[in-house]
Amino acid sequence: DLTSGGSSGEEGEGQGRGIPPKNDRSRHLLALPVIGTGEGNARDNSGQLLSALLKRLYVFAARTGVDIVLVVRSPQMFSAAQATRLQIESRRFNSEWSPLPPRLVKASRKLAEMAIAGEIVFFIGAGCSSSGGLPDWKELLQILAKSSGLSNEYMRQLTTLSFLDQAKVIEQRLEMKYNNKLEEGGNHINSWNLPVTPTGERCTWMQREIAHLLTTSRHSMMHSLLSNIPVDAIVTTNYDTMFEDACRASQQPIYALPYEVRTPNSKWILKLHGDVNHPEDIVLTREQVDRYDDRRKALSGIVQALLITKHMLFVGFSLQDENFHKVATTMRTAFNPPHLDCSGVGSEMCWDSEEGAEPQPRRFGTVLSLTDRPFLEDLWPDLNMIVMDAVKEVSSSSSSSSSSSSPEQMKIKEAARLLEIFLDRVSLETSTVSGYLLDREFSGPALSREEWALKMEVEKFISSCSKNPAARKAPGFKFVQEMIERLGGDPSEMIKATASNKPSMDK
């Protein structure tokens, strides 16, 4: 695995010490930086060090059974690392990607092609955040119910209700709990006793509790992998900021809608159910869904537009959200009768139509699922289903560190690990391997002969343009600056250096 930016917050643990992996992982995860390439002496030889380190890590992972994440500090180093991985794995493909069956390799390649073409939008659900240690919907309601003071028997009966109705009961109990505390302190109960958010708005006690429970400075491996796939539009029902944190850790600006104004050419994430930084907008009960219906129509319109114009990739999402059902139903009505669309992932998911054959349903998205959910295909015939293959045998490295897990639990954990490998493959397939070409830290042996040839020609072009004052004033010169930045260089530094006849890089 490879991520760009800060650590996911999970620490590598020693194998064989009886310490289970964190966050229900099937194997221990070891995270490490590229030592010496920050302010250390190895900075000018980052490319050579990176190549040698990756080769050693492949051997170490194969020998120990530990999963490894290499955390790099810049987009340029990420691009260089991915290019090195492609070189290594072109010679060792079968052994390095053996966990992925051919069907998933093919699907990852198709999704990568669609992402590069700008056709993919993510829909991220609670499953991604639970992999980073946060509770899923069921666990969140259990925690809130316990906090409200419900007895074990009442909590058991509560689970017979729908999630929305459970939330309503819990909300009422929390109000009673905090109001009783206020009365005991001699306070008069009114709307001014409700908690105040950091933005000065009033929220319910349950909304405040949810914001407190889901506020974290960490993000999961899943968020890191997703953030490094070139997708600019993301939709989520999650309240947390894990995906935003993962993007910012890898130096990718991202804006949360509807709370921030997006700048051009930047990622944005649509928070359908609210945000921990805005507890007053958190939606969990049926009344909150109805109350915010008018306010959320504009947001639902964005989702409908994405469903019509893009291919939505669902990750960690159960497809049980009532708001999404309404949006999807409206979209389906707009496209009735369904028309043939062969943009699905994998030939087994979209049939070639023959002349006179009945049109196939339009596939507006793809679901990445840990387990086979047969009835889901009956309910959502217009979605592709990519199921992570069940693990027939649990490896010794996994079973030794998770001895308390049942075989069925281990299969789920291994499927979650396989999903990470799958997303890693998609990320690798979409990597821009030219993003380090003009970075001074990746000169010398880090570049291939062909890359050196291209680098020389590009530098000659930049030098020629930079020395010509008229060329620098041309409106199109901004595209030259953008090209320099995309290739890993500093536009202002290179233009200034070449304009003054100084070499821009060490040769």
Side-chain angles (χ1 to χ4, degrees), residues 75-88:
Q76 292 85 353
M77 184 172 287
F78 179 77
S79 178
Q82 295 289 64
T84 303
R85 292 181 72 199
L86 286 171
Q87 292 174 6
I88 295 173

Side-chain angles (χ1 to χ4, degrees), residues 336-401:
N336 187 33
H339 64 274
L340 180 66
D341 176 22
C342 289
S343 62
V345 182
S347 60
E348 72 277 14
M349 301 176 188
C350 191
W351 311 104
D352 295 330
S353 60
E354 299 178 0
E355 187 175 353
E358 187 175 344
Q360 298 294 318
R362 179 182 182 271
R363 303 286 176 86
F364 64 80
T366 295
V367 178
L368 301 183
S369 179
L370 298 185
T371 58
D372 187 17
R373 300 159 69 189
F375 297 118
L376 201 60
E377 295 191 28
D378 295 332
L379 296 172
W380 296 91
D382 36 17
L383 284 176
N384 299 320
M385 302 293 168
I386 299 182
V387 180
M388 300 299 110
D389 283 354
V391 179
K392 295 180 180 179
E393 294 182 6
V394 177
S395 66
S396 58
S397 60
S398 301
S399 59
S400 63
S401 56

Side-chain angles (χ1 to χ4, degrees), residues 175-192:
E175 296 296 316
M176 292 170 55
K177 172 185 173 181
Y178 285 107
N179 286 344
N180 289 337
K181 286 186 176 181
L182 289 172
E183 288 180 335
E184 290 172 3
N187 296 300
H188 181 65
I189 304 300
N190 55 45
S191 62
W192 297 106

